Each structure stands twice: as structure tokens, then as C-alpha cells.
Amino acid sequence: MTAEGTAAATPLVSVESLTLRAGRDPAAPVLVDRVSLEIAAGESVGLVGESGCGKTLTVLAMAGLLPADVSKAAESRVLFRGRPIEACEPSPLGREIGFVFQDPAGSINPVLRVGHQIAEVVRTLKGTSRSDAHARSLELLAEVGIADPAAKARRFPGELSGGERQRVGVALALAGDPALLIADEPTTGVDMIVQEQLLTLIEGLRERRGMALVLVSHDLAVVAEVCDRVEVVYAGEIIERGAVDRVLTDPRHPYTQGLIRCLPGRAGHGVRVAAIPGAVPVPGAWPPGCRFRPRCAHAHDRCQASPGLLLLPDARAARCWLVNEGGAP
Amino acid sequence: MRRVAKGVLYKLSLVAGVATLLFYAVDLMPGDAPCFGPGMTREVCAQIATNRGLDESVHARYATWVVGALTGDFGDSHRQSRPVLDLIGELLPNTLLLSGLALVLAFGLGILFGVIQATRPGWVDGALGTVLLFFYSMPAFWLALMLILVLSQGLGLFPAAGVTSVDYDALSGPGRLLDRLHHLVLPVAALTLVSMGGVARYTRDSMLEVLGLDYIRAARARGLSERTVVYRHGLRSALLPIVTQLGLSLPFLFSGAVLVEAVFGWPGMGRLMYDSVAARDMPVIMGTGLMFAVIVVLSNALADALYALADPRVRYERD
Amino acid sequence: MTRRLRNPLSAAPTLLLLAACADEPREPVGATAAFCQDALARVEQYMATVPSSPSDSHGGTVVVGATAELDGGMMGLTTSDYNAHQHQVFLNLMTLVRYDDRLEPEPYLADSWEWSGDGTELTFHLRDDVYWHDGTPTTAPDVEFTYLRATDPATTFANPTYFEAYEGVEVLDDFTVRFHVRPHAQPLDTWRAVPIMPAHLLSEVPAEELRDHPYGTVCPVGNGPFRFSSHRPSESWTFAANPAFPQALGGRPSVDRYVYRIVPDPSTLLTELLNEDVDVYVSMRPDQAGTIETSGRARLLNFPARDYTFIAWNSSRPAFADPALRRALTMALDRQGMVDGLLGGRGAVANSGVPPVHWAFDPDNASALPYDPARAAGMLSSLGWEDRDGDGVREDAEGQRLSFALKFNPESELRQTLAELSQAQFASVGVEAIPTGVEFSQFLRDILGSDRNYDAFLLTYSTDFRVDDRDLFHSGSSDAGYAWSRTRNPGIDRLIDTLQTIVDQEEALPVWREYQAAVLEEQPFSYLFYPDRIVGLSARVQDVTMDARGEWVAVRDWTIPRDRRKYATPGRP
């Protein structure tokens, strides 16, 4: 498949030069800097990076869910099926875009029964009757792998385990049968076994339903397991993109390389073999030129100037001067 | 079950403690039952005290009172010469009616205005907030006097005082209801206007806080309509602290009504308590004090129960 | 939603229903319940048998508004409350004699009376047509019962001095009763004041239980022109015309129904009067009189009574020991100014506890201690009180400042103002008075306690028709509660003793003059003024006359003209 070929069909979502600021003031700190990316129908894309680099904001903007205190620059565009997402009527939220939130406990209303909450969404989105919506909510619970859905539907979120709560979160996102599922750190706060189950579930659902998936994670391993394509984000910018297996085996950006080194060894879970020194600079304190420079082992004088996202073969790209010099150092 | 029994025991001991404290505190209160006037000599006053058993030691009187109270006999009011329970039975419905209606209205309107403020930021929020604050910061009795001056004395729309008209007994059933409502308007308005500002403010803040929570954003993200999000998800959660407030307000409205009852000549518990303290009418002080303690304890329990009803988390965490 | 929030408004009808249930006359519980049920049932039974033939002019409901309950209700043996006493003697009960408008005794329950030659036997002949409201005739044993209970200390009768000269009682027949007395002044005043109580209902009640017996507030059964119909505590008393009241005494009252409403806030009460929801506003605050005058919606009535307002001096405090100093302090006060300014002219300057309505009042006394700050200052200087350190307050030779706390109870706005006014006037002659408000029951403890915890205080007091200052000024009672000035003056002792034994008024008059002069000289109190009693009347009520005998003296005649009647009356079309 050529680059021209993908562009021919309208992507499901395309983000063009997305710039987000912390506030209305044009001088306010930039949180996300001219990010452009596209999600094609049925595709599964992972957004990877450390906390605070703008992954979550990017996907929130994709869904048109930006918090009130974050503003989008005028030239930024988020298109859903080729139309600005704000102009879509009815709103694609829920109907076309399902969103699974980072914190299942915080994103599900704690004072309403889970079955009721799912049925409420089904009724709103599908306009079905109360009893049909109820039946559908049980189906959805079953689909996300909750045992004894009828009993669990009567529970309050607080009465469920963390894994069950996240499954409910997925069910809520699926209630409108969306074409795109956005999952923002869906495995935060659950143990490895549950994480594994959830990822398997999400992968399975995507395949069965033919949905597109955007998975946000700080963990490259998670993305590697589920996604076809990966976008590595650092300090508000995309610094590397490409097919997952290619990026994993042949990372071109020193940051990606660092992330891969951080992966637990194949042999034992949870053992960090290496870490990238330093921390992600906070918005507003990004260094000029290459933003990874202060943490980079290969930093060089020319890194004073930003390299730009350099396109590579096989629909790959990386934001590093080194890529022109033929591969990884 | 054991926990329920423990809770009941705790509440009972709380009431008993309050009663004991009250009895001894009243005994220490300066001044005696007014015994005054031409011919009311010290001998006469002393004899009155003897007749009422007030010359016994405070411990003996307390013991007598406790024994009586345990058998349901709270003694007779010195001032009204009738059993304290009868007196409470006659005046409590008046207060319940006034405070109850005011409570319902203050919370109903307060919540309504609070929600309007929270969902319409800008001039609606500002204007409503200013008006509500205006009434909230007014002393209730002063507002009561103003209402009387303007709406009763000035425009003649409502009676200024009393629970019913003088010819209430001669009225038909619906006539009686109307007559009662007519007399309720001003006192209920006075109590409601001064207290609903607080509720509105509380609701507004609670609502704004809840509307900023993740699950509200999540509810929007799932495609629910703004109405559903604000009222079914937002309001429901925002009301939780207000429900507690409601329970805790019950005794406040009992005590808060003293001045308003006085201004509107409303024969209720507030005035009974006030008059009984002024007259050192011990059986009434104790009877009403005990009742008040029970109401406070019950209100707290009710607040807990209401909270549990509204918030499932409390319910299942107890099980 | 499986669980709905309860509709909060659903509580409202329940509450209304609850209140509606409370309308049904509540039956009192307890041991005394039977007493009251029985008593009231018999009143209803009897009243149903009395032929009522109201004339055209009869009818209507008159509504009296007042700020306080009728404390003690209709229990005539224990009342010390002015309004309650008025209701007893003029509405619900009867006295043996009553005063005419010249304050001379005239027959009432007693048709006639006579004295034995030596003045030790007083025999009353009762009317034979007076019935208790339950149909029992009022007879001599009722009078005997009343006397025996009133003189029994256990009853705690409010004014034992009424019976100081009494030695015994004898029932001669059903309608004749004789008292054995020692000769004393104004002997009939006792029987003007003490209402006769129903022996057939109360003789079984132990004396010590009478004061708190439910008869007084739950089920009074009187024999006067108005019978009791209901009492809602802190709300209202309702009386109905008694059709069986003797024609010879004027017959039934003009109105069908009389309601006494309790509205504790004077401003609200004023509104009620202006709205004609109250027809007679009694004991009105003087500052409200102006509103009535300008409103045109009600009219005023004021009359001199038996109250007086004064500053009591604690003469056991060295600073106030000298009568000359007390006279100087009185002369520093602009008492006429107080009458004009605070009372709107409704009152008179006072010089003793003998009010102008009293037959022995000495009008010449009035100019004896004029308002003269210059003279007052001179008197204080000559007594050795000079402002030696220039701070505006006088000191004696030892440097003791002429400064004192002037106590008053702040529940009375009038006395609050009065205290501040006095402070200013005292200050202008170099005397420092510090107004000190004390809550009423604490105030009473201060002024009645044996420790006499005051320098000076402000009070309005009420004297009886039979003025007797023994409690106040006789050295023999100077340790008792009311000896506020702690006066020890043999001349005054002798006069007080003498006055109470002179039966003949002509003979007593010069002694009374002498007594008033002596009080003036002694100045145990700075008497300020006799305030008139002020009453507001709505346009509905007519034929209202009031005088020193009290607001309710002619309540039987109060009329609501037909075109002014606005209330439906139960049992009358």
C-alpha cells in the first residue's frame, strides 16, 4: 500500500496541525504543538509517550472533548469523515466515536447502577425502548466479558472490581456501535493479568466489529500488543511514527530507543532494565530546537535547530537529525 | 443488627446527656421564675416554690423529673397549667406547618435557583446570586417586619399575625384550608426568603464542582444529551451534600423560627421555648429541650438515611 | 431510574392535614382531664337550656389584641397579672362590689351590705339570680370558700394584705355572708379586687394545687357576663356572651363573642389594629400613638391609671443616704419634658405613689420639686459634691465620685430611652449615671434579692386603689423584697401605720396630705411620671369607655354595629 493509496480514501479522523494551549491567551503555554495525524477506518493506532507529553489532549481533541481551559489554535483542524468535528450533526460522540477513559472509577457515575447507565446511553443513541435498551445493555455487558450480566447490571460501579469497571467503561463506549474506539490508558491501575485480559478484549472487539482503534499508553509494550501502527509523542510533538513491528525492531529516534530499552525483559515481567535519564520538560519550558536534546545521549550542535518530522520509507517518520545519517546510532 | 443496637444506644445516651446537662444548666441560670407585683411577698413566692417542689435539692428534682419522663409524664407547665405534652401537642403542629413548608420551599426553590445559576453562568448567575444574597443577609425578623409593613399594612393582602382568622371555626372545610394558607403566606415567605439563598449558593457550588468531574465529561462523551447530563447525572450527585444539609437543617428551622414566630404572633415551639425560659417554667423548658434534643438526633439519623438513599456508596459500604 | 427522589412537595398536604387535625379541640390527658371535660360539658348542657333572646343590637365579635398571655388565666385566687385580673373581674367572674366611675363601691354580686355598729362585722347580701356558667347558683358558701382559700398561705394568694384585718367568716344563709374584721381603711376595696370562685368545682382541690390547676387556663367556669369558650396557649382566649347574666346588672353583653389575641410584637399588633384584624389594642407603646393619629384608620383612647414610673435609690449605699441629695437628683430631671417627649403628653408628672385618680391625691405637691438644674447643682455643691478633678463628675471630699449604675430591663423600649435621657440630664449637673440593661428575671433577682444588688433602678410599678406603701417604705418591712429604698424614717412609719386604720376618708385626707409631703421630703424614689394607659380602637368597635378602673371595665357595653360585623359566628346565621 502506497502513501498515495491511503490518502485517496477519506480517513476516519484527520488531525491537521493541532496546536493546543493552556488557556485562551495566544501567549499561553503550548501543550500540543502542530500535531498532524490520520486514522483510517479499521486501523489500530497507538499513541505512546511519557505522562505530560500531550497524548491524552490529542485524543480528546480528536473526539471534540477538550476541557474548557484548553484552547485550540485557529489553524488547527480536526476532521471526522472529512468534516470539522464541531460541525458534525448529530455529534459523532458515542455514535461514531467511543471513548474509554483512563480512570474507570472516575468516568462512570458512582451513584447510578451500571446497567441503567448503559441502557441510558443505548436509549439516547439508538432511540430504542426502555426494555430493548435494557436487553441491549445486558448484551453489551456480555460482549465485554462480564460474567452474569443480569446480576452485575444491578450493581453500582463501586461494587465492581477495577477490571469489571473498565469493562463497563468499554461497554459504555460501545453502546452506540462506533466506528472508532479511543481508549485512553485503559489499563491504568489494574494488575498485569487484568491488563492482559483487557487488551485481549479490546483487540478482539476491534477485530469483530471492524472498528478503528486509537490506544493511548505510556507503555510501548501495550501498544505493541494491540496496534498496527504507532505514533510516539514527546513534549507535544510526534517524534516517530510507523508500523509497530518496524518501529519496535528498528527505532529511529533516540527517545523511541529509550522507550524500547525501558520495556521489561522478555524473560521476567516488571523488571526495568534501563531508564531514560531526566524528565519530560513541562509545557512552556520546552528547549528550542530538538526538545529531547537535554536527555539525549547523541545530542549535537545541530540539535539546536529543530529537525522537523523527517519522512522515511514505508510510511515511517522520525524527528531526528540522525535519521538522515542512515539508521540508528 | 448489633451495630443498629449500638447506634440506638448511642443516640439514647446522647439525648439523656443533653437532658441532664440542660436540667442542671437551667438550675444554674441566673434569676428565678418571676414572682413580682404588689403583694407578692417573699413568703408568697417561697410558698409557690414549695408547692411546685422547687425547694428540694436540684438532684432530688432531677430524679423526680427523670422518673416522670421515663413514665411519659413531663409534668405540667406552671405558666399554662396544663401538661407539657398537651402544650407541645397544641403548638408543635403550628411550628411543623410553618417550618415544614418553609423548609420544603427553601430547599425546593434554593435547589432550582442553584441549578439555574450553575447552568447559566454570566448575567443570570450574577443577577440571581445578588438577589438571593440580598435576602440571605437580611435578619429574618426584620424581613418579617418589612413584609408585614408592605404586604399587610400597606397593601392589605395578607393578615399580619395569627394562625387562623377569628371566625375559623365557622368556616367550611375548603374555607379553613384557604384561611390557613392565607395566614401562612407571610411567615413562610420570610423564612423561605432568608434561607433559600444559602441552599441556592450551596447547590450552585456543588453543581459546578460536579459538572467539572470526569464522569460528567465522560457522560457527555458517550453522547448523552446535555439535559440528561446536567439533571440526571450532575444534579443527582450535586444533591448529595444538600440532602445532608436538609437533614441538619431540620432542627435549625425549629430554633430559627423563634423570632419569626414572635413577629407573626405564630403560636409555636419557638415561642413556647422562649417564653418558658423567660418564665423559668422548668417542666416546659425540659420537655421542649428534650424534644429538641430528640429532633436533632433524629434529624442527624435522617440525614444519614437520606444520604444513604441518595448515595449507593454509603449503602453498600455499610453492608 | 429505578429509584426516584421523593417529591419534596408531597410533604405539604400532609402537614396541612396534620394541622387540620389539631383544630379539633384537644382533650387534655392526665388526672385532671376528667375534671375539665366534665366541667365544660356541664357548661354546654346548661347553656343549651338558657333561653337566648338577643336583641337587634346584640351580636358581632370584638377582638382585643395584646402582647402577653393572660398569665394564670381565670384562677382568681392566684393571679397577679393585670390583664388576667381584668378578665376575671369584668368578663368571666364577679366580685361582691364594683367601683362606679367616681371609684365609689356599688353593688355587684352583693346586692347590699351593712356594717355592725362597732365596725367589726361586714355582712353581704348576695343576689339570688347569679348562676355559675354550668347552672349552679352562686351562693354564700362560694364567698366563704374564696375567703378561706385566699387566706390559706398554701394557696399563694397574690395579695395577702387584702385580708390583714380579717378575722373570720360566717355563712348566715344561702345568700348572706358575714366577715369579722378589725376596722381598716377602704375595707370594700378587697371585695372589689377579689373575684368569687366556684366552691362546687374547686373545694376538692388542695389549696397548694390551685395555682397550677387546669381550671384557670383549660376550663374556667365563671359567673360573669362572658363565659369561657376556648383557650389556645400563646394564641387566643375566646369568651361568649352569657345569656343568663342578670338583667338587673345590664343583662348579656352587646357582642356575641369576645376574643383576646396574643401578638407578642407591638409593631405587628399595630398593623393588626390598622387592618381591623384587632379592634382594641391594649397597653399600646406611647411612640405608636402618633402612627394611629396620622393613619386615620383607627382612633386612640388614653386614660390616667394607677401606674407610676420611678428611679429607686438604694439609700443603704452611702452616696444615696442623704434625702437632700435625692431631692437634688430629682430636680435635675426634666420630668415634664419626659411626659411631653416620651409619652406624647399622655401622662402626668409624679411626686408620690398616690396617683391623681386617687381620692387622696394632693395636687399641690406637683410643683414642689421643679426641674431646676442650676438649683440642683447648687444643692449638690453645698452637700460637698464638687467636681474636684475637672472630669465633669462631682466627687466628695474623699474623692468618691458621684457615679452609679442605673439598672433597667431592656425589654422595655420606653425605659431604655428613659435611662439614656436620665443619664444625659444627670450628666448636666455633674452626676454620672451609667444605664445598665439587665434581662428581666435577672433584674428581678437583683432588685428583690436580699443583697440589694443595685445603686438605682428604673421601674414602672402599679399601685392598688387602696394605696399602701408599707412594703415599700415602712422600716418594719425594710428587709422584705419591695423595700427598695431601705427607708428608715419614723415619721413615715407612723403615717403608714395610721393611714391603714382610719376608716373615714374625710378624717384620713389630712393624714394623706401629710404623708405625701413626707415622701416628697424623703424622696426614697425619684418619682418620674404617671403614664396614661393608651388604647387603640378600630372603626368597628363602638361604645367603648375606659377609665382608671381598667380597659375592660365596660366590656359588656362594647358594640360592633351591624354593618361592621365581619366574622361568621358559629351557631348564628
Side-chain angles (χ1 to χ4, degrees):
Chain A
M1 198 158 41
T2 61
E4 287 72 33
T6 9
T10 311
L12 203 53
V13 177
S14 75
V15 173
E16 294 171 13
S17 187
L18 178 69
T19 299
L20 300 177
R21 285 193 174 83
R24 305 256 156 235
D25 190 348
V30 172
L31 303 169
V32 169
D33 193 8
R34 286 165 292 172
V35 164
S36 297
L37 54 87
E38 290 182 351
I39 313 291
E43 181 187 29
S44 79
V45 179
L47 244 62
V48 166
E50 289 168 278
S51 314
C53 57
K55 311 180 296 279
T56 297
L57 281 176
T58 304
V59 291
L60 285 174
M62 243 185 237
L65 282 174
L66 282 176
D69 54 356
V70 172
S71 67
K72 195 164 72 173
E75 70 276 13
S76 305
R77 304 226 295 161
V78 176
L79 303 178
F80 184 78
R81 295 197 197 279
R83 299 179 55 204
I85 188 152
E86 301 84 4
C88 294
E89 197 60 48
S91 160
L93 278 176
R95 290 177 180 82
E96 300 260 36
I97 305 176
F99 209 108
V100 179
F101 291 85
Q102 185 167 353
D103 169 20
S107 64
I108 304 175
N109 193 328
V111 301
L112 296 175
R113 291 166 203 277
V114 296
H116 168 80
Q117 295 194 53
I118 299 171
E120 185 180 48
V121 177
V122 170
R123 276 180 61 207
T124 308
L125 298 181
K126 302 282 184 186
T128 52
S129 71
R130 205 176 270 269
S131 60
D132 288 353
H134 175 69
R136 178 75 186 124
S137 70
L138 299 186
E139 284 170 29
L140 283 165
L141 283 172
E143 188 180 355
V144 297
I146 287 196
D148 194 2
K152 293 284 162 72
R154 283 195 296 274
R155 300 276 175 86
F156 290 97
E159 295 173 291
L160 302 176
S161 71
E164 285 174 321
R165 270 202 291 265
Q166 193 54 294
R167 285 171 195 268
V168 170
V170 174
L172 280 163
L174 293 179
D177 298 319
L180 167 66
L181 186 69
I182 302 177
D184 183 11
E185 303 269 15
T187 58
T188 309
V190 297
D191 62 40
M192 292 303 285
I193 299 166
V194 176
Q195 169 170 325
E196 206 54 46
Q197 292 169 345
L198 278 171
L199 292 177
T200 312
L201 170 72
I202 289 172
E203 201 180 358
L205 284 168
R206 189 189 71 79
E207 276 170 14
R208 254 200 325 280
R209 290 175 165 252
M211 299 181 292
L213 171 70
V214 173
L215 180 70
V216 175
S217 179
H218 62 278
D219 189 346
L220 196 53
V222 166
V223 169
E225 191 173 332
V226 179
C227 300
D228 309 329
R229 198 154 67 76
V230 63
E231 308 263 353
V232 183
V233 185
Y234 184 82
E237 290 176 324
I238 288 174
I239 52 103
E240 180 153 8
R241 79 162 42 124
V244 167
D245 42 0
R246 296 296 309 281
V247 172
L248 224 51
T249 52
D250 178 24
R252 307 305 294 270
H253 195 285
Y255 178 62
T256 316
Q257 292 158 8
L259 284 180
I260 291 167
R261 276 202 302 280
C262 289
L263 288 177
R266 305 277 170 199
H269 281 298
V271 185
R272 288 192 174 264
V273 279
I276 306 167
V280 185
V282 296
W286 292 335
C290 173
R291 290 176 190 167
F292 187 62
R293 180 165 47 94
R295 301 171 74 187
C296 184
H298 311 285
H300 194 273
D301 286 350
R302 72 195 143 168
C303 301
Q304 306 269 2
S306 178
L309 194 59
L310 303 173
L311 296 177
L312 296 167
D314 301 330
R316 292 194 60 189
R319 196 182 288 274
C320 182
W321 294 115
L322 290 173
V323 296
N324 282 345
E325 287 154 31
Chain B
M1 208 51 222
R2 237 185 95 208
R3 188 164 48 190
V4 170
K6 227 170 113 183
V8 169
L9 208 66
Y10 169 72
K11 287 181 172 85
L12 280 178
S13 60
L14 200 67
V15 169
V18 168
T20 309
L21 211 67
L22 185 63
F23 197 98
Y24 284 87
V26 173
D27 190 67
L28 288 176
M29 205 159 55
D32 305 307
C35 181
F36 179 67
M40 296 294 275
T41 59
R42 284 210 184 127
E43 291 73 26
V44 174
C45 296
Q47 183 66 47
I48 292 173
T50 307
N51 289 356
R52 291 176 174 169
L54 297 175
D55 53 347
E56 292 173 55
S57 79
V58 62
H59 309 298
R61 278 184 286 127
Y62 178 63
T64 311
W65 182 81
V66 168
V67 171
L70 287 177
T71 56
D73 176 11
F74 293 89
D76 292 1
S77 158
H78 299 320
R79 212 164 154 258
Q80 295 285 356
S81 308
R82 61 181 77 195
V84 171
L85 285 182
D86 275 15
L87 210 50
I88 292 177
E90 294 200 35
L91 299 184
L92 186 59
N94 290 336
T95 290
L96 279 183
L97 188 64
L98 173 56
S99 305
L101 274 184
L103 188 77
V104 166
L105 283 176
F107 272 84
L109 293 175
I111 289 170
L112 179 71
F113 289 135
V115 170
I116 291 176
Q117 281 185 278
T119 51
R120 292 206 184 26
W123 74 267
V124 175
D125 178 23
L128 255 179
T130 309
V131 171
L132 290 169
L133 184 69
F134 175 73
F135 287 112
Y136 184 63
S137 46
M138 242 184 230
F141 76 93
W142 190 81
L143 177 64
L145 282 175
M146 289 304 111
L147 287 175
I148 287 176
L149 272 184
V150 176
L151 296 178
S152 182
Q153 186 168 324
L155 301 173
L157 296 177
F158 304 101
V163 179
T164 56
S165 295
V166 161
D167 54 351
Y168 180 76
D169 291 334
L171 297 175
S172 63
R176 289 183 179 195
L177 191 68
L178 276 180
D179 187 55
R180 274 190 177 275
L181 289 173
H182 200 209
H183 282 82
L184 270 167
V185 172
L186 291 187
V188 166
L191 278 178
T192 305
L193 283 173
V194 295
S195 42
M196 79 183 175
V199 180
R201 178 77 206 195
Y202 209 68
T203 308
R204 174 186 176 274
D205 294 351
S206 172
M207 195 72 184
L208 284 178
E209 193 188 317
V210 167
L211 289 181
L213 287 180
D214 281 350
Y215 65 83
I216 294 298
R217 234 177 31 181
R220 284 202 185 98
R222 290 180 191 122
L224 292 179
S225 70
E226 193 61 19
R227 260 183 76 94
T228 309
V229 170
V230 168
Y231 292 98
R232 213 172 299 166
H233 289 255
L235 185 57
R236 168 132 193 181
S237 301
L239 283 183
L240 290 181
I242 294 161
V243 162
T244 314
Q245 203 64 21
L246 176 73
L248 297 179
S249 293
L250 292 177
F252 168 75
L253 272 180
F254 271 78
S255 63
V258 176
L259 290 175
V260 172
E261 284 182 359
V263 173
F264 288 107
W266 191 269
M269 296 300 296
R271 269 177 64 201
L272 180 65
M273 287 192 246
Y274 180 86
D275 289 348
S276 66
V277 171
R280 305 291 190 265
D281 194 343
M282 194 68 174
V284 180
I285 298 178
M286 288 310 299
T288 52
L290 188 73
M291 190 202 72
F292 196 65
V294 169
I295 284 171
V296 170
V297 168
L298 284 183
S299 303
N300 276 298
L302 187 70
D304 287 350
L306 280 176
Y307 197 92
L309 191 73
D311 189 345
R313 286 168 293 186
V314 178
R315 229 177 314 154
Y316 58 68
E317 272 160 26
R318 273 191 188 159
D319 296 337
Chain C
M1 210 153 73
T2 47
R3 186 180 295 274
R4 284 171 178 280
L5 281 176
R6 308 274 188 278
N7 176 5
L9 282 171
S10 65
T14 320
L15 284 168
L16 279 171
L17 220 77
L18 214 122
C21 295
D23 293 340
E24 305 309 318
R26 286 180 52 85
E27 292 174 355
V29 295
T32 49
F35 177 95
C36 275
Q37 266 169 27
D38 201 39
L40 292 176
R42 273 194 280 171
V43 171
E44 289 306 320
Q45 227 169 32
Y46 170 64
M47 284 299 160
T49 68
V50 177
S52 98
S53 46
S55 77
D56 278 356
S57 62
H58 290 152
T61 300
V62 67
V63 182
V64 172
T67 55
E69 255 287 7
L70 299 177
D71 267 341
M74 300 300 114
M75 181 58 84
L77 286 166
T78 53
T79 314
S80 52
D81 181 274
Y82 172 85
N83 284 359
H85 181 255
Q86 290 265 308
H87 282 74
Q88 291 162 14
V89 299
F90 294 129
L91 278 92
N92 191 235
L93 293 161
M94 291 180 76
T95 47
L96 289 177
V97 301
R98 61 182 177 184
Y99 282 167
D100 63 16
D101 53 9
R102 293 164 299 123
L103 303 181
E104 297 290 343
E106 66 175 17
Y108 195 36
L109 177 57
D111 209 17
S112 64
W113 58 88
E114 76 249 351
W115 287 94
S116 64
D118 59 356
T120 60
E121 285 177 11
L122 171 58
T123 309
F124 287 103
H125 302 281
L126 307 192
R127 302 189 63 88
D128 60 4
D129 56 356
V130 175
Y131 295 85
W132 296 106
H133 298 148
D134 61 5
T136 312
T138 304
T139 55
D142 291 319
V143 180
E144 181 195 33
F145 165 77
T146 304
Y147 167 77
L148 290 176
R149 282 292 185 271
T151 50
D152 180 346
T155 306
T156 65
F157 177 70
N159 208 337
T161 53
Y162 282 147
F163 296 107
E164 265 175 356
Y166 276 68
E167 286 170 343
V169 65
E170 249 181 293
V171 172
L172 301 184
D173 62 44
D174 274 1
F175 297 100
T176 313
V177 61
R178 174 173 296 163
F179 291 102
H180 298 271
V181 300
R182 292 185 304 279
H184 59 290
Q186 285 177 266
L188 287 170
D189 189 64
T190 297
W191 298 109
R192 178 278 318 172
V194 180
I196 302 306
M197 301 302 292
H200 68 288
L201 289 168
L202 296 174
S203 59
E204 300 295 312
V205 178
E208 59 270 20
E209 288 176 17
L210 280 171
R211 176 173 284 272
D212 293 341
H213 192 271
Y215 167 91
T217 56
V218 183
C219 56
V221 179
N223 54 1
F226 285 92
R227 69 184 177 90
F228 170 85
S229 34
S230 70
H231 170 218
R232 293 179 193 275
S234 304
E235 185 179 353
S236 66
W237 289 76
T238 306
F239 296 88
N242 171 16
F245 194 68
Q247 283 303 323
L249 294 173
R252 59 153 283 170
S254 168
V255 294
D256 278 349
R257 206 158 51 127
Y258 168 98
V259 179
Y260 179 90
R261 284 186 54 202
I262 301 141
V263 180
D265 188 284
S267 314
T268 311
L269 192 43
L270 181 61
T271 299
E272 289 279 274
L273 175 71
L274 295 174
N275 286 351
E276 296 190 357
D277 287 330
V278 155
D279 301 312
V280 182
Y281 171 2
V282 294
S283 306
M284 182 186 293
R285 248 174 28 198
D287 61 288
Q288 293 184 319
T291 315
I292 301 259
E293 279 176 329
T294 54
S295 75
R297 283 158 77 176
R299 61 192 199 276
L300 278 177
L301 194 66
N302 60 293
F303 57 91
R306 295 170 284 148
D307 311 322
Y308 54 88
T309 302
F310 62 94
I311 296 173
W313 303 108
N314 184 351
S315 68
S316 63
R317 304 262 158 116
F320 302 122
D322 189 344
L325 173 94
R326 300 194 293 262
R327 285 195 299 273
L329 290 175
T330 304
M331 287 172 69
L333 295 174
D334 181 7
R335 296 176 293 159
Q336 188 59 49
M338 292 172 179
V339 170
D340 296 339
L342 295 180
L343 305 182
R346 296 178 184 86
V349 170
N351 279 295
S352 77
V354 182
V357 296
H358 192 270
W359 56 273
F361 174 71
D362 182 358
D364 299 339
N365 238 353
S367 53
L369 290 175
Y371 171 51
D372 192 339
R375 238 178 88 198
M379 286 162 74
L380 290 169
S381 298
S382 67
L383 290 167
W385 295 98
E386 292 283 4
D387 184 8
R388 290 160 218 267
D389 57 8
D391 66 349
V393 178
R394 293 167 187 270
E395 294 88 24
D396 65 9
E398 283 82 50
Q400 185 69 40
R401 299 169 87 236
L402 191 44
S403 167
F404 62 93
L406 180 58
K407 290 193 173 179
F408 65 98
N409 64 308
E411 289 86 349
S412 154
E413 273 181 49
L414 178 68
R415 285 196 284 282
Q416 170 99 43
T417 317
L418 204 50
E420 286 156 6
L421 196 62
S422 307
Q423 175 189 30
Q425 293 178 357
F426 283 135
S428 71
V429 296
V431 176
E432 185 180 55
I434 304 158
T436 309
V438 185
E439 186 258 337
F440 191 57
S441 55
Q442 176 63 37
F443 179 76
L444 288 184
R445 175 179 266 201
D446 284 351
I447 68 170
L448 298 176
S450 48
D451 54 343
R452 303 280 163 207
N453 182 20
Y454 56 87
D455 301 319
F457 64 83
L458 255 173
L459 190 69
T460 297
Y461 204 54
S462 208
T463 179
D464 227 321
F465 286 111
R466 192 172 68 114
V467 177
D468 181 357
D469 286 345
R470 174 177 299 272
D471 282 357
L472 298 174
F473 301 142
H474 198 286
S475 64
S477 54
S478 65
D479 283 332
Y482 299 90
W484 291 313
S485 56
R486 314 217 71 190
T487 300
R488 292 177 180 279
N489 181 325
I492 286 185
D493 287 354
R494 183 183 49 77
L495 285 164
I496 288 174
D497 291 338
T498 312
L499 280 171
Q500 297 314 318
T501 57
I502 308 177
V503 181
D504 183 62
Q505 293 189 357
E506 289 292 315
E507 199 185 315
L509 195 58
V511 188
W512 273 112
R513 296 276 156 100
E514 201 186 327
Y515 174 70
Q516 289 169 77
V519 167
L520 200 67
E521 178 75 16
E522 173 74 18
Q523 282 294 292
F525 297 164
S526 286
Y527 288 97
L528 301 179
F529 47 74
Y530 307 107
D532 283 2
R533 297 188 78 93
I534 309 173
V535 177
L537 298 173
S538 80
R540 276 177 15 101
V541 62
Q542 295 185 1
D543 301 328
V544 177
T545 52
M546 294 177 181
D547 59 34
R549 292 171 291 178
E551 285 81 346
W552 287 269
V553 60
V555 60
R556 224 186 39 79
D557 302 329
W558 296 359
T559 303
I560 306 288
R562 186 169 285 280
D563 58 334
R564 294 285 192 173
R565 291 176 198 163
K566 64 173 184 177
Y567 300 114
T569 317
R572 205 178 163 122

